[in-house]
Amino acid sequence: MRYSPEALTAFVETVSCGSFSAAARRLRKSQSTISTAIANLEADLGFALFDRSSRQPTLTEQGKRILGYVQAILSASERLDEKHFKIKDIWQLQM
């Protein structure tokens, strides 16, 4: 299964910010875009990441368990981007 980087980022930012609206503002997206991305991620995973029964979304037990993995995936992706640009710069200098 491949997960959208945007959905993974929306999940982590929602946890960090404490709400879908605050995550949307930080990511410069609409609240509905963030909600939809997370809903799609939940559908792909087969379980809820947030309990939405109160005013503020709270992580479910499954959400708590997966958060570290998602953060690691996003960190690895950032490191890959950094390596890509370094290699690209070196390659261009050699030409």
Side-chain angles (χ1 to χ4, degrees):
M1 174 75 47
R2 296 189 189 254
Y3 305 105
S4 154
E6 293 80 14
L8 298 177
T9 300
F11 170 57
V12 171
E13 288 301 324
T14 300
V15 172
S16 175
C17 294
S19 74
F20 298 119
S21 297
R25 284 190 298 277
R26 182 179 287 176
L27 295 171
R28 296 187 176 129
K29 306 276 184 186
S30 69
Q31 185 270 330
S32 64
T33 298
I34 299 302
S35 294
T36 299
I38 292 173
N40 289 338
L41 180 58
E42 289 173 325
D44 289 344
L45 291 169
F47 53 81
L49 297 169
F50 292 99
D51 176 357
R52 295 169 174 83
S53 63
S54 64
R55 182 166 159 74
Q56 300 291 88
T58 56
L59 280 175
T60 62
E61 286 303 315
Q62 295 93 335
K64 289 176 186 175
R65 280 189 234 131
I66 203 166
L67 178 59
Y69 292 108
V70 173
Q71 290 168 326
I73 290 167
L74 292 174
S75 292
S77 179
E78 287 175 20
R79 288 192 307 275
L80 179 59
D81 286 345
E82 290 169 7
K83 294 291 183 191
H84 167 258
F85 289 116
K86 285 180 184 177
I87 291 169
K88 186 176 174 183
D89 289 344
I90 291 169
W91 182 77
Q92 287 177 345
L93 288 173
Q94 293 175 349
M95 293 195 77

